[in-house]
Amino acid sequence: MSYPRALHEWSAPALIGAYRRRELSPLEVTQSVLGHIERWEHRLQALYLLRPELALEQARASETRWLRGAPLGPLDGVPVTIKDNIATRGDPTPLGTAAVELMPATADAPPAARVRESGGVIIAKTTMPDYGMLSSGLSSFHPLARNPWDLRLTPGGSSAGAGAAAAAGYGPLHIGTDIGGSLRLPAGWCGIFTLKPSLGRVPIDPPYMGRAAGPMTREVVDAAWFMQVLARADARDSMNLPPQQIDWETFDQGADRLKGLRIGLLLEAGCGLPVDPEIRAAVAQAARLFENAGATVLPMKPFMTQAMLDGMDHFWRMRCHVDMKALPSARKAQVLPYIREWGDSAASMNGEAVFRAFSQFHETRVRTVAACAAFDYVISPTSPVTAAPADHASPTNDPMRPLEHIGFTVPFNMSEQPASSINCGYTRAGLPIGLQIAGRRFDDLGVLQVSRAFELIRGEQRPWPQPPSEAVDHVD
């Protein structure tokens, strides 16, 4: 039979439906994804531990289960990639840096365990920068990851490879992590969708303040489908939310979901880099679409301050400094120089300075919750700027000003609120522009529903980037 799109572009629900009807085999879908990767990966460099033979082995096992009518779960036979820092049993977890001693993980971390239990076909791990501390694909361990929309540019980070893989069509489902914007920034710069869930909604190991794992996909439907697996409880995460029956399949309520909503429009972060005029215009146009669909959109005053952003930056510097002090000197020397300079800048901080820096996390939480209380949802730019050059560690490329681009994203990590990023337009140069949609704490399903409603009203999207053999190669 003929298919409307190449198999590597099919959504997860469409694949499961085709498997159930025996119209498709997980083996032929995996072969399609691997073939597409072969055409793209030599330029994108999004993947780590790409082992086609293991992926095909998983696909054959899935095919057998479907032929018996006994799939393991809603991911059985669906291709998935998993970020480097999410442990997979038997594989090393380098955390993006050459400084880590490569030892096989003894167990799957919770997101990987849920994928394996549900029969997902793990195609590969995805790349990230050193310790996940950059909004870039620059790494001392992995090759430099690039943005499929323009290979001269970064895909963002720290879920760099996952963002690039999703935009390039390496199958429908990808898992990343986020502590200040590491899901949403690459999503925004790669034109894809992501959900940073409420803290604890998707269990992770090790858990950490503000750190969340979440789906990265081309379409909202895939992220919602993935959440029914990723959100299952796991006792290893001390911040795991109590088990809750959420009907993730009800996420699509159409554009009517927007009627009567009270939406806050945040066009200035209050700190960091100024918003690019093209990004401001695209987000303002998105706000008009919300209004046309029946929502009330009201402007918000910035609630973040530079002191809050700097405090979080300085505390994270100290955390990095302490981690690097524990390394033998030869291993520390292998850390990316940008990260070394950034972390070691905290060496002279005294206890009071560290306490004051840490206090800004709570201040950010309180300010964010208070600012959002009057609204059902808040929309804003995902990032104030578009993708930086691929070899830049951050948009400023300055280790003394490393977080100037996360003023819109980081507050929702600290407030534990769910926030998505969805494409809302393009620059004159053809680069994607991300719209962030944040909801109240625990309202992950609502954020998915509102994101889907916007997906329906945002207008026609540009075609996804194609491998260099089929398009202009932009690498200098």
Side-chain angles (χ1 to χ4, degrees):
M1 64 182 293
S2 61
Y3 298 102
R5 293 182 294 178
L7 296 183
H8 64 265
E9 296 184 299
W10 281 45
S11 71
L15 289 175
I16 292 297
Y19 296 159
R20 186 173 290 117
R21 296 186 300 271
R22 299 194 180 184
E23 295 172 353
L24 278 180
S25 157
L27 183 58
E28 59 186 316
V29 171
T30 301
Q31 289 169 332
S32 175
V33 171
L34 291 172
H36 188 64
I37 289 171
E38 187 175 358
R39 292 187 291 273
W40 250 128
E41 183 59 13
H42 68 290
R43 302 316 298 263
L44 282 188
Q45 301 183 139
L47 302 183
Y48 167 58
L49 296 182
L50 173 62
R51 294 168 293 195
E53 68 287 350
L54 292 182
L56 293 170
E57 180 182 320
Q58 295 170 68
R60 290 188 188 97
S62 175
E63 180 180 61
T64 299
R65 290 191 294 270
W66 279 108
L67 289 173
R68 292 201 314 262
L72 289 177
L75 299 187
D76 208 328
V78 178
V80 180
T81 73
I82 300 174
K83 189 176 176 182
D84 159 349
N85 64 342
I86 297 172
T88 47
R89 185 182 63 251
D91 299 324
T93 309
L95 307 178
T97 179
V100 167
E101 185 177 0
L102 297 181
M103 301 289 289
T106 58
D108 289 326
R114 301 296 86 77
V115 168
R116 220 183 289 270
E117 292 163 3
S118 294
V121 175
I122 301 173
I123 296 292
K125 306 292 288 288
T126 49
T127 60
M128 61 182 284
D130 288 51
Y131 299 110
M133 292 310 301
L134 303 177
S135 295
S136 164
L138 187 63
S139 165
S140 61
F141 180 82
H142 300 297
L144 179 64
R146 297 180 180 272
N147 191 318
W149 291 91
D150 186 333
L151 294 170
R152 295 170 299 186
L153 303 179
T154 183
S158 65
S159 303
Y170 288 12
L173 303 180
H174 310 270
I175 311 173
T177 62
D178 187 316
I179 200 170
S182 290
L183 285 164
R184 289 157 289 161
L185 292 165
W189 292 334
C190 291
I192 64 168
F193 178 76
T194 193
L195 173 69
K196 181 208 73 68
S198 300
L199 185 71
R201 177 71 70 206
V202 173
I204 55 174
D205 183 31
Y208 191 80
M209 175 180 59
R211 182 173 180 246
M216 303 181 78
T217 62
R218 283 184 170 185
E219 303 175 25
V220 180
V221 63
D222 281 312
W225 188 267
F226 211 177
M227 283 297 290
Q228 65 183 310
V229 170
L230 293 178
R232 293 174 183 167
D234 194 303
R236 289 176 289 174
D237 186 346
S238 58
M239 301 180 190
N240 191 188
L241 295 178
Q244 184 178 359
Q245 290 299 319
I246 298 175
D247 185 3
W248 299 104
E249 294 188 57
T250 64
F251 82 99
D252 190 349
Q253 298 187 347
D256 286 347
R257 180 65 172 82
L258 302 180
K259 290 181 179 179
L261 291 181
R262 187 178 173 90
I263 305 288
L265 173 61
L266 183 66
L267 288 174
E268 295 291 342
C271 59
L273 296 170
V275 178
D276 181 285
E278 289 188 280
I279 294 175
R280 177 186 290 272
V283 172
Q285 173 58 22
R288 288 189 285 273
L289 294 176
F290 274 89
E291 287 183 317
N292 293 341
T296 298
V297 180
L298 299 170
M300 292 178 66
K301 294 180 180 179
F303 54 87
M304 285 285 291
T305 67
Q306 192 64 42
M308 291 155 66
L309 187 65
D310 289 345
M312 291 185 281
D313 172 23
H314 292 160
F315 179 80
W316 280 330
R317 291 182 196 219
M318 179 56 77
R319 176 190 172 190
C320 181
H321 175 64
V322 171
D323 287 346
M324 289 192 299
K325 278 183 67 176
L327 295 173
S329 57
R331 287 203 171 274
K332 180 180 176 181
Q334 295 182 70
V335 176
L336 202 68
Y338 182 104
I339 297 291
R340 291 204 309 270
E341 183 177 351
W342 175 70
D344 285 346
S345 69
S348 61
M349 288 179 68
N350 61 25
E352 180 179 344
V354 174
F355 170 77
R356 292 187 182 278
F358 183 74
S359 297
Q360 295 306 313
F361 288 90
H362 184 67
E363 182 69 12
T364 299
R365 178 193 182 96
V366 170
R367 294 268 195 105
T368 305
V369 172
C372 296
F375 305 101
D376 298 306
Y377 300 92
V378 170
I379 61 174
S380 73
T382 300
S383 167
V385 294
T386 55
D391 59 355
H392 282 198
S394 67
T396 63
N397 207 31
D398 179 353
M400 298 300 102
R401 298 174 59 231
L403 305 184
E404 297 292 289
H405 56 291
I406 69 170
F408 289 108
T409 52
V410 72
F412 299 108
N413 293 83
M414 299 310 127
S415 68
E416 304 182 10
Q417 295 170 243
S420 69
S421 179
I422 188 168
N423 195 58
C424 70
Y426 304 87
T427 66
R428 286 187 295 273
L431 298 177
I433 296 172
L435 174 75
Q436 181 173 244
I437 302 173
R440 294 174 180 169
R441 192 179 177 204
F442 311 131
D443 190 20
D444 304 76
L445 181 60
V447 171
L448 286 171
Q449 290 169 339
V450 171
S451 299
R452 172 56 178 163
F454 180 73
E455 188 176 47
L456 292 170
I457 65 175
R458 67 182 174 177
E460 186 176 354
Q461 299 293 285
R462 298 188 181 187
W464 290 103
Q466 296 301 315
S469 60
E470 303 171 36
V472 177
D473 189 341
H474 291 294
V475 175
D476 292 334

